[in-house]
Amino acid sequence: RLCMPVGNFLIVPLVQWALEHMRGGRPGLLAQVGVTACIFTVWLPFSASLVPPVCSLPVGELEDELKEKLPQPRDGGLPPTHVTYQRGV
């Protein structure tokens, strides 16, 4: 999650600085909005994909209503000790 703000706080200013020195003047508002939109379009999905959205949690930390919904072991099997879930971005 630390990589998410890098696009806006480091890459955009560096691109703006490069555009300013290449063109000899400050880029206009349209260029700034365009660079920011491109960074959001490319960098945000990339940085979110660096960490997989799957987590594991011990059953003891679940709320009671969720513990009741867990499948019961069959044929004398052991109950689950952990659950795996997909967290959001």
Side-chain angles (χ1 to χ4, degrees):
R1 298 206 182 243
L2 216 63
C3 292
M4 286 187 181
V6 168
N8 247 2
F9 294 116
L10 289 179
I11 298 175
V12 171
L14 287 174
V15 170
Q16 292 297 107
W17 178 81
L19 287 174
E20 186 175 331
H21 288 297
M22 283 175 26
R23 299 174 98 195
R26 195 150 199 194
L29 179 64
L30 186 60
Q32 292 178 7
V33 170
V35 168
T36 303
C38 287
I39 292 301
F40 267 128
T41 303
V42 174
W43 187 258
L44 190 61
F46 168 74
S47 62
S49 71
L50 292 176
V51 179
V54 177
C55 292
S56 180
L57 188 67
V59 171
E61 293 184 21
L62 292 175
E63 296 175 3
D64 291 334
E65 66 182 52
L66 292 176
K67 286 181 192 176
E68 293 171 3
K69 292 181 180 180
L70 288 175
Q72 298 301 320
R74 297 182 206 154
D75 301 326
L78 296 173
T81 58
H82 285 78
V83 292
T84 303
Y85 68 96
Q86 288 192 346
R87 59 180 169 80
V89 175

